[in-house]
Amino acid sequence: MYGELIIAINMVFNFAVLSFANKTGNLQAARGRLWFASFAGALPVTLFSSSFISMIISFLLMTFCAFGKALAVWRKAVGIVLVGALFSGGLLTVYSSQTFPMPAYLSVFLSALIAFISLSIFKGKWLDVRVAKQMDDFACMSTLRIWKQDIRIQVFIDTGNSCTEPMTGAPVHFVSYRAVKQMIPRDLIGPLEQWNPKKLANVSSFPAEYQKGIRLIRLTTVQGVSWAIGFKYEWWRLDDGDQLQPGYLVLTKEDNRYPDGADAILHVSAMESISKERGTAHVV
């Protein structure tokens, strides 16, 4: 009975660690595969508990069974499994089935609970850091050329922004009115501030010299349908990438929801202008 208890405790602990690595590393291994790897890793350390070599064999066998289809994926997983094992293993030292006698099933449950809670907290912090890193990847400085001026502006690429100009299909970006107000020609400010987004107004209220580069953009949100003015820009270049596709920008007064302190929300097509590659590892 004691041997089965040790195997169960090690198996549950292994599964918690492997699940942590699977989630944080976005490795996408099947749950059944993780359980099999957890059992395979629990056997050597139970049969040869005093052997350091058995611990190494157990670790290699467990990680290979879980993530060993590709060398690159396995190498990535090993580092995350080590971090998870060291973190949760340190917390498990506060509990011992000998120090706190209890039935076998309660001992297994408590061990699993400690490992699960500790790794869940750690996983949340890890994912928060990863999300923050992704946010940084999507945010950068840029130079916008419009109204015969070069404007330096902080931008954020929003993968949820797929708004396009209806006639040409050109991408539409959203720019904070506050951020660029000082650069807007004076004869455009009056018509812009008088614009009623709930009505399909005539662009003739704008100066004739700018009308050629103006388009009406229909916006559909949870608040309903509204109309915005799209200004065609000459070019727009990201500092860490290439030049954006030709398109239009819409000036917005409500910019409090712009993420990462950005002054502009770019169309999803701007992802193609980022020079560095991104990839995700998968276990098959």
Side-chain angles (χ1 to χ4, degrees):
M1 181 64 184
Y2 181 75
E4 289 84 350
L5 173 61
I6 297 300
I7 290 177
I9 292 176
N10 278 283
M11 185 174 174
V12 171
F13 176 78
N14 290 344
F15 181 78
V17 173
L18 292 177
S19 298
F20 165 79
N22 193 46
K23 183 66 175 180
T24 57
N26 199 19
L27 301 172
Q28 300 186 4
R31 183 181 295 269
R33 183 172 179 175
L34 296 182
W35 275 116
F36 174 76
S38 301
F39 176 73
L43 282 179
V45 294
T46 303
L47 296 176
F48 308 98
S49 57
S50 61
S51 172
F52 179 73
I53 295 178
S54 69
M55 295 176 60
I56 297 178
I57 293 175
S58 175
F59 179 80
L60 294 176
L61 181 62
M62 177 181 70
T63 53
F64 180 79
C65 290
F67 310 112
K69 283 293 185 179
L71 180 60
V73 176
W74 178 79
R75 291 174 61 183
K76 176 183 178 181
V78 163
I80 304 176
V81 171
L82 276 173
V83 171
L86 291 173
F87 179 79
S88 56
L91 291 181
L92 279 177
T93 59
V94 303
Y95 161 72
S96 170
S97 59
Q98 295 178 348
T99 305
F100 305 98
M102 61 181 64
Y105 69 92
L106 286 180
S107 180
V108 173
F109 174 77
L110 183 57
S111 297
L113 185 63
I114 293 174
F116 176 79
I117 292 176
S118 62
L119 288 175
S120 294
I121 295 173
F122 192 23
K123 180 181 67 177
K125 298 300 182 183
W126 185 305
L127 294 178
D128 287 345
V129 171
R130 193 167 70 183
V131 169
K133 179 61 171 62
Q134 291 174 341
M135 293 279 284
D136 289 341
D137 288 343
F138 293 160
C140 64
M141 288 298 298
S142 69
T143 303
L144 167 67
R145 177 69 178 182
I146 190 172
W147 304 310
K148 301 179 181 179
Q149 302 178 77
D150 292 344
I151 305 175
R152 294 286 294 167
I153 190 170
Q154 176 81 14
V155 300
F156 180 84
I157 302 174
D158 185 0
T159 56
N161 175 22
S162 56
C163 182
T164 57
E165 196 278 319
M167 295 186 64
T168 63
V172 174
H173 312 285
F174 297 90
V175 178
S176 166
Y177 178 74
R178 169 192 53 80
V180 299
K181 184 176 179 180
Q182 299 300 321
M183 312 297 289
I184 301 175
R186 290 184 176 274
D187 47 356
L188 279 179
I189 293 180
L192 274 174
E193 294 186 345
Q194 294 173 10
W195 179 263
N196 186 347
K198 298 301 181 181
K199 296 182 179 179
L200 183 56
N202 196 321
V203 297
S204 61
S205 60
F206 290 85
E209 61 180 302
Y210 299 107
Q211 290 180 15
K212 185 178 180 180
I214 288 178
R215 294 290 187 275
L216 288 176
I217 309 296
R218 187 174 186 269
L219 305 177
T220 302
T221 65
V222 293
Q223 286 79 25
V225 176
S226 60
W227 292 91
I229 289 292
F231 293 94
K232 187 175 183 179
Y233 51 84
E234 296 181 40
W235 50 261
W236 200 336
R237 185 178 297 114
L238 305 182
D239 282 5
D240 59 350
D242 299 321
Q243 193 162 297
L244 300 184
Q245 300 176 20
Y248 295 83
L249 64 84
V250 168
L251 298 174
T252 64
K253 291 184 178 180
E254 299 296 331
D255 57 4
N256 56 320
R257 295 184 180 180
Y258 281 18
D260 208 38
D263 294 315
I265 299 296
L266 299 187
H267 186 268
V268 63
S269 62
M271 288 293 296
E272 301 172 5
S273 301
I274 298 179
S275 56
K276 56 185 176 182
E277 297 182 357
R278 296 182 175 87
T280 301
H282 296 271
V283 176
V284 294

